[in-house]
Amino acid sequence: AAGNFSACTILSASYELDTTPPSAPSGVTLTDPLGCPGGKCSDPEPDFQVSGLTSGYGVVLYSESSCTNQLASATASSTTLTFTNSFSLSSDGTYTIYATQIDLAGNESACSTAYDTYALDNSDPTLTSVSIVSGGGTSTAEMGGEAFLSFTASEPLGSSTVKIKTAGPERT
């Protein structure tokens, strides 16, 4: 009612200003696929493991050393985090993968100095030349005869199947 006063209440709040970024991840390692022929792989969704993390922090993968082209992000639940089929590469080429981590205050670490590379190659090689290296010294082989061919291609062929079209049925 009129003229009544309550005791003074003191309200306060405190906060801690955190502008210090966390340390950068200490490792970035390709985990799948491994051992691709000629070092070039056809899987557009490689898996990478990032290590040297703080549990609960965000982790971001990038495709270059300035850490501006983000590929994927997730939250670490331990000191390592594996990104499994988390992103898809759209074009052939060699990708160098780096990482950062983001603390609970939103501070992002520097780009990792640790990285790993992945070469995506879904393009078929093209033959640049074909020559007969033996078969009687001629450019043709007789019916029932043999001809040994040498191929030069736009990339190493490894174990390949070549189809040869003749005037008759196709031969492999």
Side-chain angles (χ1 to χ4, degrees):
N4 295 332
F5 294 94
S6 67
C8 185
T9 303
I10 299 175
L11 298 176
S12 67
S14 64
Y15 71 93
E16 181 179 336
L17 178 61
D18 177 2
T19 59
T20 305
S23 59
S26 60
V28 178
T29 306
L30 175 68
T31 58
D32 185 59
L34 297 173
C36 298
K40 296 181 179 181
C41 303
S42 61
D43 181 358
E45 296 180 342
D47 300 343
F48 285 87
Q49 184 178 72
V50 181
S51 57
L53 303 174
T54 300
S55 182
Y57 283 11
V59 182
V60 184
L61 287 185
Y62 295 92
S63 63
E64 36 45 61
S65 63
S66 62
C67 285
T68 55
N69 186 24
Q70 182 177 329
L71 295 172
S73 64
T75 301
S77 60
S78 71
T79 58
T80 61
L81 174 65
T82 299
F83 287 84
T84 303
N85 297 325
S86 298
F87 61 94
S88 184
L89 302 171
S90 60
S91 59
D92 286 1
T94 299
Y95 295 84
T96 305
I97 308 301
Y98 294 84
T100 62
Q101 66 176 334
I102 302 172
D103 67 18
L104 299 176
N107 301 308
E108 187 168 13
S109 74
C111 197
S112 62
T113 55
Y115 63 88
D116 207 344
T117 58
Y118 181 72
L120 177 65
D121 183 6
N122 281 315
S123 300
D124 292 331
T126 55
L127 291 178
T128 55
S129 70
V130 178
S131 58
I132 294 180
V133 293
S134 65
T138 66
S139 61
T140 61
E142 297 296 323
M143 187 62 98
E146 289 186 336
F148 294 92
L149 305 174
S150 173
F151 301 95
T152 305
S154 59
E155 61 185 71
L157 294 176
S159 177
S160 301
T161 300
V162 177
K163 291 185 178 183
I164 300 174
K165 290 192 176 194
T166 64
E170 189 174 283
R171 306 272 187 217
T172 300

